[in-house]
């Protein structure tokens, strides 16, 4: 049972798919929409990192910059999300309508990228995160940009 999670709202994954949150009863029970071969239940959390400001030689500290493109190489991943500090969230890896339902969504290995046409800014924080329980392994990230304004 899940008595250690009694009276808590928890995230659930069934057979590799993210399911709606459940509230665990005082006795440790909860219900899902159907039966699953493998269930994971627990507290949701957000894994994230924020990039440091870009710099090059000679130094570009203090100059306005703009990110034109982000490129990621990932391995066995799903649910990669990015925000540029403006409140807009871009999901680069997600389950699509073409994925079969009732089975775990396929994980992606390879390169994914996102083009941006944002404004120039002196402090451009890029947050990369995962918040739905799916695996995310980032092997590298490239930030292409320009300076000036």
């Amino acid at each position: 049972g899940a008595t250690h999670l009694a009276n808590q709202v928890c995230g659930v994954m069934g057979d590799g798919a993210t399911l709606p949150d459940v509230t665990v009863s005082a006795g440790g029970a909860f219900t899902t929409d159907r039966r699953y071969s493998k269930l994971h239940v627990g507290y949701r959390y957000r894994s994230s990192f924020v990039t440091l400001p870009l710099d090059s030689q000679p130094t570009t500290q203090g100059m306005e910059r703009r990110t034109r493109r982000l490129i990621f190489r990932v391995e066995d991943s799903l649910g990669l999300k990015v925000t540029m500090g403006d409140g807009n969230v871009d999901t680069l890896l997600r389950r699509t309508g073409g994925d079969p339902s009732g089975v775990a969504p396929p994980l992606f290995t390879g390169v994914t990228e996102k083009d941006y046409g944002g404004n120039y800014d002196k402090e451009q924080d890029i947050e990369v995160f995962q918040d739905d329980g799916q695996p995310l392994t980032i092997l590298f990230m490239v930030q292409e940009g320009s300076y000036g304004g």
Side-chain angles (χ1 to χ4, degrees), residues 37-116:
S37 299
K38 188 181 284 189
L39 273 173
H40 296 277
V41 61
Y43 298 118
R44 289 204 180 270
Y45 62 92
R46 179 182 177 122
S47 300
S48 68
F49 67 87
V50 177
T51 61
L52 295 171
L54 277 178
D55 196 12
S56 62
Q57 296 299 324
T59 188
T60 56
Q61 291 297 315
M63 293 179 67
E64 290 190 329
R65 66 199 87 213
R66 175 175 64 188
T67 298
R68 290 192 327 254
R69 179 181 303 154
L70 294 176
I71 304 168
F72 297 89
R73 178 174 291 280
V74 299
E75 182 175 22
D76 295 331
S77 298
L78 190 65
L80 170 63
K81 298 177 183 177
V82 176
T83 183
M84 300 287 234
D86 58 3
N88 295 322
V89 175
D90 293 308
T91 303
L92 278 67
L93 297 176
R94 73 177 105 203
R95 184 176 201 140
T96 66
D99 294 336
S101 60
V103 298
L107 301 178
F108 177 76
T109 295
V111 174
T112 185
E113 57 187 72
K114 172 73 176 165
D115 289 328
Y116 290 92

Side-chain angles (χ1 to χ4, degrees), residues 25 81 98 137:
S25 72
K81 298 177 183 177
T137 302

